[in-house]
């Protein structure tokens, strides 16, 4: 009996860390904090958001809780446990299907954004080309008008000489 008691009191360290779940999300917290008032364990970002939205009340007990009442826990980096769906082949197939669907939706939206950007670029290039042609035509007309003016000036009598 004493040996059984010794074994049950000295469980492996991994068994203790697996029992640490956030009281809000029921997942293993990445940045764990514990409430000094209630003793509940929380993910730091989740409890901060919950305190903001509830006016400083604990989401589990409903009592007033300040950010200063949250104590950080120093735990070693642990591997996040697999979700329950990833423990069986059908569950993994479902996860892969969901991931595939998400990738295809992202690809579709990326293609739509690409096509839209391509159309906008084509329109902008067309406008730029048209503006360049208009500018070239106006410069040619200006140069022709200057040339005609310089050719017409020597043929005309000088107004100052006619007046004298």
């Amino acid at each position: 009996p004493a040996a059984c008691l010794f074994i049950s009191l000295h469980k492996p360290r991994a068994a203790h860390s697996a029992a640490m779940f956030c009281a809000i999300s029921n997942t293993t917290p990445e940045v764990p904090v514990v409430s000094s008032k209630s003793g509940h364990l929380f993910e730091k970002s989740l409890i901060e958001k919950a305190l903001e939205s509830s006016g400083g009340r604990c989401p589990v007990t409903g009592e007033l809780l300040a950010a200063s009442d949250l104590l950080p826990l120093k735990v070693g980096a642990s591997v996040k446990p697999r979700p329950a769906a990833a423990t069986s082949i059908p569950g993994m197939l479902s996860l892969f299907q969901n991931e595939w669907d998400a990738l295809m939706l992202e690809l579709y939206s990326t293609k739509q954004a690409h096509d839209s950007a391509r159309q906008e670029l084509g329109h902008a290039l067309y406008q730029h080309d048209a503006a360049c042609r208009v500018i070239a035509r106006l410069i040619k007309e200006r140069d022709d008008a200057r040339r005609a003016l310089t050719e017409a000036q020597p043929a005309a009598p000088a107004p100052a000489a006619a007046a004298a």
Side-chain angles (χ1 to χ4, degrees):
C4 292
L5 180 64
F6 179 78
I7 291 172
S8 66
L9 289 177
H10 291 41
K11 291 181 182 177
R13 186 164 234 193
H16 289 299
S17 64
M20 290 180 29
F21 293 109
C22 174
I24 298 173
S25 65
N26 204 24
T27 60
T28 305
E30 291 184 25
V31 182
V33 292
V34 67
S35 167
S36 62
K37 291 187 176 181
S38 67
H40 286 100
L41 179 73
F42 300 103
E43 168 65 40
K44 185 176 182 179
S45 61
L46 291 177
I47 188 64
E48 287 174 349
K49 288 178 187 174
L51 289 175
E52 278 181 26
S53 65
S54 67
R57 296 215 171 262
C58 176
V60 178
T61 61
E63 63 185 23
L64 287 175
L65 184 67
S68 59
D69 295 328
L70 299 173
L71 304 173
L73 293 179
K74 294 184 180 177
V75 293
S78 62
V79 177
K80 290 185 88 172
R82 280 192 218 169
T87 57
S88 66
I89 291 176
M92 290 182 73
L93 287 174
S94 174
L95 287 174
F96 291 147
Q97 182 67 45
N98 291 341
E99 185 67 23
W100 177 261
D101 291 344
L103 282 171
M104 290 301 108
L105 286 173
E106 182 181 0
L107 178 64
Y108 178 73
S109 63
T110 303
K111 281 185 176 184
Q112 281 186 327
H114 175 262
D115 290 341
S116 173
R118 188 175 186 161
Q119 283 181 338
E120 289 176 20
L121 179 62
H123 185 67
L125 287 173
Y126 178 77
Q127 286 182 335
H128 175 73
D129 185 49
C132 288
R133 281 186 267 132
V134 167
I135 291 170
R137 182 179 49 92
L138 290 174
I139 289 174
K140 183 177 182 268
E141 288 177 4
R142 182 202 63 192
D143 292 344
D144 289 345
R146 282 184 180 169
R147 193 177 11 245
L149 182 64
T150 56
E151 290 173 1
Q153 281 181 347

